[in-house]
Amino acid sequence: MTTATAPLSPETGRSHLQESLFAWLEPEAPPTPAKAARPTPEPAPEAASVAPPEVPPAPPEPETKPDLSHVWVVAATIEVTPKIASVADYRGSFKATEGQRIEALDVYCDGCRRPYDEVKGDDCAAKIDNTHLIGGDQTKRAKRKVPTPPANARLISGGTINRRGIGAYMSGVSRPPR
């Protein structure tokens, strides 16, 4: 078995196919100059002691406030021909004709789903926090009430029902019994 670190050669069978895969792992040799290059002169000690001029730090960028504005949408009623109705039913969209009058049923925010007249001028609640969509803070909600049985009712305990495995399938939980 060949490894990625061992040099591979074409004589070792199919391993020459892997050689190009690992060529990037080996460091490149420095280029050899054709002619002798001139030695570079060392900088003068005076030039090395001069510090570059200090650049004042860039002013901090002003923090941009998040966009909390509403995205208004309109629920509308549009009268269409049977052909356009067929296209709209198939594709889920259609093109209205120019100059067609559209009756607006409701104007509301696409994010928070609240009516225009209730929240105009306010920030969009969906962009701040979506708790309004789940009925508010879940810790403050009332617990579900357990129904109380009638006065003359008697509770009878039953056996356990196997809902998992082959036993559940054979006993008719996931299929009708025979």
Side-chain angles (χ1 to χ4, degrees), residues 19-153:
E19 189 170 4
S20 63
L21 292 175
F22 302 106
W24 61 274
L25 291 173
E26 297 177 12
E28 294 182 12
T32 56
K35 296 182 182 178
R38 293 186 208 164
T40 57
E42 293 185 18
E46 302 88 32
S49 64
V50 176
E54 291 187 23
V55 178
E61 293 183 17
E63 294 183 18
T64 57
K65 292 184 177 179
D67 181 25
L68 299 176
S69 61
H70 293 276
V71 177
W72 300 112
V73 293
V74 175
T77 301
I78 303 171
E79 187 175 336
V80 293
T81 63
K83 182 180 178 182
I84 294 176
S86 172
V87 170
D89 182 49
Y90 180 73
R91 292 194 175 163
S93 65
F94 66 97
K95 292 184 178 181
T97 60
E98 185 179 345
Q100 185 176 7
R101 181 138 179 100
I102 299 171
E103 180 183 342
L105 300 175
D106 193 15
V107 179
Y108 58 95
C109 176
D110 192 37
C112 63
R113 305 283 185 194
R114 292 186 174 159
Y116 176 80
D117 55 348
E118 284 183 15
V119 293
K120 65 180 174 185
D122 296 340
D123 292 335
C124 182
K127 293 182 180 178
I128 297 169
D129 189 13
N130 269 340
T131 55
H132 71 283
L133 293 176
I134 58 171
D137 187 10
Q138 298 297 308
T139 60
K140 297 178 183 176
R141 292 179 73 185
K143 300 294 181 190
R144 291 189 177 102
K145 296 178 182 177
V146 178
T148 57
N152 59 354

Side-chain angles (χ1 to χ4, degrees), residues 154-171:
R154 203 172 49 152
L155 293 177
I156 302 171
S157 62
T160 60
I161 299 173
N162 183 11
R163 295 185 179 181
R164 294 192 175 103
I166 191 71
Y169 176 76
M170 299 304 288
S171 66

